[in-house]
Amino acid sequence: MTRKGTLTTPRKTILEIVSLSSDHPSAADVIDRLKARGCCFAYATVYNSLRFLTQEGLLREVKLEGAASRYDARVEEHQHIICTSCGKVGEVFVGPPIEWLNRIAAETGYRIDKQEFLFKGVCPACRTAQIVEE
Amino acid sequence: MTRKGTLTTPRKTILEIVSLSSDHPSAADVIDRLKARGCCFAYATVYNSLRFLTQEGLLREVKLEGAASRYDARVEEHQHIICTSCGKVGEVFVGPPIEWLNRIAAETGYRIDKQEFLFKGVCPACRTAQIVEE
DNA sequence: TTTCTTGCAAAACATTTGCAAATCG
DNA sequence: CGATTTGCAAATGTTTTGCAAGAAA
């Protein structure tokens, strides 16, 4: 079942970098942080490693704003909320009500297997800032 | 308020193409369909037009699977569900319960302004096909 | 004529691929 | 050894940019 590949040095290092980051780094961010540590792997290796780690369930790929995929070491089911003012990404652990999902399934005829939700709004810090500005 | 630009020929044609499509075409799809009609504008013009039409509220940009942005002439609030088997994209008009949104706002501290939901599952046709296969 | 649009080609990104060399098992 | 993984550079796909020429107000 767990047809594991090897947790090689690049893979282990990249997993560690993402795990220590709370900001959902992109591949480019990972490369920057590798450089900051004084080590560096080929682009292809970084992308391959991120794909490998995602397939193994050790990371989750998330698509937020912007073109680049970002990676999250929190693999538990959760969603994201992004601040339209400062870009800060929050985690959302409150799952959707089952009745709502059932209604969608009934109306569309699709069987629902997975959901990816992205909320947009204003984070607490920016809300405070907005009030001060007025 | 409605600081409108001009609805030029390229813009009008591209809006028409997206409006007549029910499959949320990407910029590349639009270019293909333009060619099929025997007319063709510069890449930049297609991208500019799509951005313009989106800003004017005549189209909506949607990010589904894949790298390319796709465009939807249904600008009313709704969400999407994609079949993981055949890729067919369905529309979801059942909005989320307000209590759930309130709970998320309370737990994250964010003010929620907008949501982008992508459901994944199996469409009716593919579900039938799956049953037949067994 | 002043401003907005278009066309074109090049640039900018994000990501993948092909292949030889290195490493793992 | 045979299979997997890496590095590198080039290719791919998507979107943007710079700028001159053209169309609109």
Side-chain angles (χ1 to χ4, degrees):
Chain A
M1 171 113 203
T2 37
R3 171 174 290 287
K4 279 215 173 295
T6 314
L7 208 56
T8 57
T9 306
R11 290 172 177 178
K12 207 179 302 184
T13 312
I14 288 166
L15 175 58
E16 191 181 303
I17 284 177
V18 179
S19 298
L20 295 176
S21 306
S22 57
D23 62 345
H24 314 83
S26 65
D29 294 330
V30 169
I31 291 168
D32 287 345
R33 287 166 208 192
L34 280 166
K35 280 184 188 151
R37 290 185 171 210
C39 79
C40 190
F41 310 112
Y43 277 122
T45 301
V46 175
Y47 281 98
N48 280 338
S49 298
L50 289 169
R51 179 156 13 94
F52 169 84
L53 293 166
T54 302
Q55 282 167 354
E56 293 297 323
L58 300 172
L59 289 183
R60 231 185 77 177
E61 183 182 3
V62 293
K63 307 250 188 170
L64 306 176
E65 293 292 277
S69 280
R70 297 170 63 170
Y71 295 86
D72 195 341
R74 303 193 76 154
V75 294
E76 324 94 86
E77 174 83 17
H78 70 280
Q79 306 298 341
H80 297 97
I81 183 163
I82 186 164
C83 177
T84 49
S85 176
C86 70
K88 185 174 160 54
V89 177
E91 322 281 331
V92 175
F93 288 100
V94 191
I98 185 73
E99 306 80 39
W100 178 53
L101 298 180
N102 286 341
R103 244 192 96 196
I104 293 168
E107 299 220 359
T108 61
Y110 281 61
R111 183 186 75 218
I112 300 177
D113 295 330
K114 225 174 90 180
Q115 309 106 228
E116 287 172 19
F117 300 154
L118 180 59
F119 298 90
K120 299 188 182 182
V122 184
C123 75
C126 290
R127 291 176 68 187
T128 308
Q130 284 178 352
I131 293 163
V132 170
E133 271 168 35
E134 296 179 316
Chain B
M1 172 108 204
T2 37
R3 173 174 288 287
K4 279 217 174 292
T6 315
L7 208 55
T8 57
T9 306
R11 291 172 177 177
K12 207 179 301 184
T13 312
I14 288 167
L15 175 59
E16 190 182 304
I17 284 178
V18 178
S19 298
L20 294 176
S21 305
S22 56
D23 62 344
H24 313 83
S26 65
D29 294 329
V30 170
I31 290 167
D32 287 345
R33 289 167 208 191
L34 280 166
K35 280 185 190 153
R37 290 187 171 209
C39 79
C40 190
F41 310 112
Y43 277 125
T45 301
V46 175
Y47 282 97
N48 280 338
S49 299
L50 289 169
R51 179 157 13 93
F52 169 84
L53 293 165
T54 302
Q55 282 167 354
E56 293 298 321
L58 300 172
L59 290 183
R60 232 185 75 179
E61 183 182 3
V62 293
K63 307 249 189 174
L64 306 175
E65 294 291 277
S69 280
R70 297 169 64 170
Y71 294 86
D72 196 340
R74 303 194 73 155
V75 294
E76 323 94 88
E77 174 83 18
H78 70 280
Q79 305 298 340
H80 296 96
I81 183 163
I82 186 164
C83 177
T84 49
S85 177
C86 71
K88 185 174 159 54
V89 177
E91 321 282 331
V92 176
F93 289 99
V94 191
I98 186 72
E99 306 81 38
W100 178 53
L101 298 181
N102 286 340
R103 242 191 99 196
I104 292 168
E107 299 219 357
T108 61
Y110 281 61
R111 183 186 75 216
I112 300 177
D113 294 330
K114 224 173 90 179
Q115 309 106 228
E116 286 172 19
F117 300 155
L118 180 59
F119 298 89
K120 298 186 183 184
V122 185
C123 75
C126 289
R127 291 176 68 186
T128 308
Q130 284 178 353
I131 293 163
V132 170
E133 273 168 32
E134 296 180 317

